[in-house]
Amino acid sequence: MTGLSTLSLGMGAFSVLALCIWLFLYFVGLKYKSFFEVLDEKAYPFKDLYGIGYAWLTMNHYSFTKKKDRKLRQELEVLHGSKYCDYYLRVVRSQQVTYAVTLGVVAFSLYGLTMEVLAFVIGIVFAVAAYSNFGDVPKKQIQKRSEELLRDFSEVVSKLALLTNAGMIFREAWQEVAAGGEGTIYQEMRLAVDEMHNGFSETDALYNFSNRCVIPEIKKFTSIIIQSITKGNSELTLMMQQQSKEVWQMKKQLVRRAGEKAASKLLIPICIMFLGILIMILIPIFTNLGA
């Protein structure tokens, strides 16, 4: 009993200490509030609290140069460009630490209120899960973005092939297709058009386009186009037609895989329904046998 009360007092003291640390980080982090004001509230909920995480990282002299930081920086460069990737790296790390520290304090507080170890463990699990989840958000965003790019890629290639085959020069065809659609790939194409208007050559703009998209299929396509433009556009129309056929074959495979994936997802509710029906049948049988 004495040992239990000692443990309770110790955890209570840790709860108070954790809350004091949280409050200290909150007030220190207020000076970094302007650093996060430009963020979208929907994409970055509770951004006004991110100063807590940034204050923690600053006080611990976090360098943002670890292996996992370099990997995250590469992902953020795809999403936000090389100009802003370092800023968003600090945002993501601050977000992770803020949620982890806050949920850790909640875990200690729950134990202090309920004296239940399970409540403390659940709170810590949520803190660790939050830290891990928000660190994986950029990777999930890239996956979603890649799916959006591939969804419209075949249509873009077909339009480009049609316009170049009709006699339009590639640059004009690119501008025409970019202006005529909505979606991620069309936005990236319009960025390439802006670069062309701002003094970039076609090859440089296409190279930057492929780097932003990062999908192997788009990289291969732009590489072939760049080679054709470098050679003088003599084989561009033929290459565009070949690429159009290959891309449509790729889209058929993607649609087939998506169908198989959807069918596999349906197995889970079907199994749950079967289990429910089985329980409904077996329970009366065993009840009658017991009687």
Side-chain angles (χ1 to χ4, degrees):
M1 187 66 69
T2 304
L4 182 60
S5 60
T6 303
L7 177 61
S8 299
L9 288 172
M11 291 297 291
F14 271 115
S15 301
V16 174
L17 179 62
L19 181 58
C20 291
I21 292 174
W22 189 91
L23 289 172
F24 172 75
L25 291 172
Y26 174 77
F27 287 111
V28 173
L30 287 176
K31 65 181 180 181
Y32 303 116
K33 187 176 180 180
S34 60
F35 187 73
F36 304 102
E37 284 183 349
V38 297
L39 298 174
D40 182 14
E41 184 70 38
K42 293 182 179 179
Y44 297 92
F46 305 108
K47 63 180 183 178
D48 292 338
L49 296 178
Y50 292 177
I52 295 171
Y54 197 68
W56 174 279
L57 294 169
T58 303
M59 293 170 64
N60 286 277
H61 304 288
Y62 192 79
S63 62
F64 300 97
T65 56
K66 297 180 180 179
K67 183 178 180 181
K68 57 183 180 180
D69 294 317
R70 293 195 296 270
K71 182 179 179 181
L72 180 58
R73 182 182 280 106
Q74 291 175 352
E75 295 171 352
L76 293 170
E77 186 174 355
V78 173
L79 295 171
H80 305 290
S82 58
K83 185 177 180 180
Y84 299 106
C85 62
D86 286 327
Y87 167 74
Y88 280 98
L89 174 62
R90 283 160 174 76
V91 169
V92 172
R93 291 295 182 229
S94 300
Q95 183 186 42
Q96 287 181 279
V97 175
T98 296
Y99 281 102
V101 170
T102 302
L103 290 173
V105 171
V106 171
F108 278 107
S109 301
L110 285 174
Y111 182 84
L113 293 171
T114 63
M115 294 301 172
E116 292 287 342
V117 177
L118 181 60
F120 172 74
V121 172
I122 291 175
I124 294 299
V125 168
F126 272 102
V128 174
Y131 185 89
S132 176
N133 178 68
F134 285 103
D136 291 336
V137 166
K139 184 186 296 183
K140 295 176 183 178
Q141 290 176 337
I142 289 176
Q143 291 175 349
K144 182 180 178 181
R145 184 174 180 273
S146 299
E147 291 173 358
E148 292 176 354
L149 288 168
L150 283 175
R151 183 187 61 200
D152 298 325
F153 180 51
S154 57
E155 182 180 351
V156 166
V157 176
S158 297
K159 289 179 179 178
L160 288 172
L162 181 64
L163 291 174
T164 53
N165 191 44
M168 186 178 289
I169 63 174
F170 178 78
R171 181 167 182 159
E172 293 179 354
W174 183 276
Q175 293 176 3
E176 184 73 19
V177 174
E182 294 296 331
T184 305
I185 193 168
Y186 293 101
Q187 293 173 3
E188 295 297 339
M189 290 178 71
R190 285 194 283 270
L191 285 177
V193 172
D194 292 339
E195 289 182 347
M196 292 178 192
H197 290 161
N198 290 328
F200 283 75
S201 65
E202 288 182 38
T203 55
D204 289 338
L206 288 171
Y207 179 77
N208 293 336
F209 167 79
S210 67
N211 285 339
R212 290 193 301 270
C213 293
V214 303
I215 299 176
E217 292 82 1
I218 295 181
K219 279 184 170 291
K220 177 184 175 183
F221 168 74
T222 52
S223 176
I224 292 173
I225 298 303
I226 289 172
Q227 290 177 10
S228 177
I229 292 174
T230 304
K231 292 178 181 179
N233 292 325
S234 58
E235 301 177 355
L236 180 60
T237 302
L238 179 61
M239 293 178 110
M240 290 296 301
Q241 292 174 352
Q242 293 175 346
Q243 284 297 302
S244 180
K245 292 178 183 178
E246 291 180 10
V247 169
W248 275 108
Q249 289 297 325
M250 179 196 70
K251 186 168 185 177
K252 289 180 182 179
Q253 295 177 0
L254 289 173
V255 171
R256 190 180 298 113
R257 291 175 189 171
E260 293 172 353
K261 188 176 180 180
S264 64
K265 286 183 178 179
L266 288 174
L267 289 175
I268 297 175
I270 290 173
C271 291
I272 294 174
M273 292 173 62
F274 175 75
L275 183 61
I277 294 170
L278 195 62
I279 292 172
M280 293 173 63
I281 295 172
L282 291 178
I283 287 178
I285 293 174
F286 283 107
T287 302
N288 293 330
L289 288 175

